[in-house]
Amino acid sequence: IVRVSESSELEISCYGTVCAGSEASYTLLNPYCSQYMWSVEGGTYTSDPSNPATINVLWGEPTSGYGVISIDATFCESPCKALTSIKIPVISRNTEIGGPTVVCVGDVQQFELPVWGSTSYFWQIVPSVGVNMANTEELNQVLLQFSQTGTYTLKATYECEFLNCGPFTTTKTIVVKDTMSINSSDNTLCKGATGHYTTWHGNSVTWRVYNQGNAQIYYTNGVALNYTFVNSGRYKIVASNSNYCDDAEYLVTVLDNPPALTITNGPHS
């Protein structure tokens, strides 16, 4: 026997963008329960025992730019959708800018703030030399491409005039590192041969050698790697240095030695 409940999903009233420090009321649109268990992240709330379907929330300053209102309708008659949570966009000071803190030279990376209604965004990168900045269709996002290594500061200023909120400014530190690659022509060798490997920048790195089962079989530090392959198969060489943004990889194929030539003395003509 399958029973279908006629009750609907819990729905909470208007939950648009708010400003940190402001107060707003939220009401269940279908208050069919006699007891409601509310919880709020990013703010504090009060409720009137005579009207448990409504709460008043004083919003704080969540660094994510979003608060969360949840209601657990465990005491409701319906078993459907007993837990409901909604995200509330909260314009806060020092909201964290989303995006990587370490990037590679030449890569295009996206950075963003939350989507706040009726809010203007202004982006700035310091220093700006060697940086290409482009806006996306979304004002809360920006694309950056760095052509030089170094430490940069991304600044975002945002304001919602409709709510008389802001302007606020938040920053993010971005470290741009150079890429690294392995320099060698020894990608195909015979068993017993020694491969010679360096990096293009010529600095000391950590070298690791992996077999075709991806098990590490050798480890050393230095400017160059000279490694003798005693068995045939496929190998991966990895060079790493914390001053560079990514590890460098190099694939090597080691072949079995061909059979030795056999010289047969035959009759002379």
Side-chain angles (χ1 to χ4, degrees), residues 50-109:
S50 64
N51 184 19
T54 297
I55 60 171
N56 296 317
V57 179
L58 177 61
W59 288 108
E61 298 200 26
T63 57
S64 66
Y66 291 98
V68 178
I69 297 177
S70 301
I71 181 168
D72 185 355
T74 302
F75 297 98
C76 298
E77 296 178 358
S78 171
C80 299
K81 304 293 185 181
L83 181 64
T84 295
S85 295
I86 59 171
K87 294 175 67 175
I88 308 296
V90 182
I91 304 176
S92 311
R93 297 174 179 83
N94 299 317
T95 300
E96 295 178 354
I97 298 175
T101 56
V102 178
V103 302
C104 297
V105 168
D107 285 356
V108 177
Q109 297 288 350

Side-chain angles (χ1 to χ4, degrees), residues 100 102-111 130-133 143-148 174-179 245-246:
V102 178
V103 302
C104 297
V105 168
D107 285 356
V108 177
Q109 297 288 350
Q110 178 175 293
F111 300 86
V131 184
N132 291 324
M133 176 183 290
L143 299 177
L144 296 178
Q145 183 181 39
F146 299 88
S147 61
Q148 299 178 8
I174 304 170
V175 177
V176 181
K177 297 184 177 182
D178 204 355
T179 57
C245 64
D246 288 324

Side-chain angles (χ1 to χ4, degrees), residues 17 91 114-121 139-140 157-163 165:
T17 297
I91 304 176
V115 179
W116 293 309
S118 303
T119 300
S120 61
Y121 301 82
L139 298 179
N140 66 303
T157 301
Y158 45 95
E159 180 180 14
C160 179
E161 294 183 352
F162 177 75
L163 296 175
C165 189

Side-chain angles (χ1 to χ4, degrees), residues 11-69:
E11 296 182 8
I12 299 176
S13 65
C14 178
Y15 45 91
T17 297
V18 297
C19 188
S22 65
E23 189 172 358
S25 295
Y26 302 89
T27 302
L28 249 61
L29 299 179
N30 49 349
Y32 55 87
C33 304
S34 59
Q35 183 176 352
Y36 301 95
M37 300 177 62
W38 293 92
S39 63
V40 175
E41 297 178 19
T44 57
Y45 77 93
T46 57
S47 60
D48 185 350
S50 64
N51 184 19
T54 297
I55 60 171
N56 296 317
V57 179
L58 177 61
W59 288 108
E61 298 200 26
T63 57
S64 66
Y66 291 98
V68 178
I69 297 177

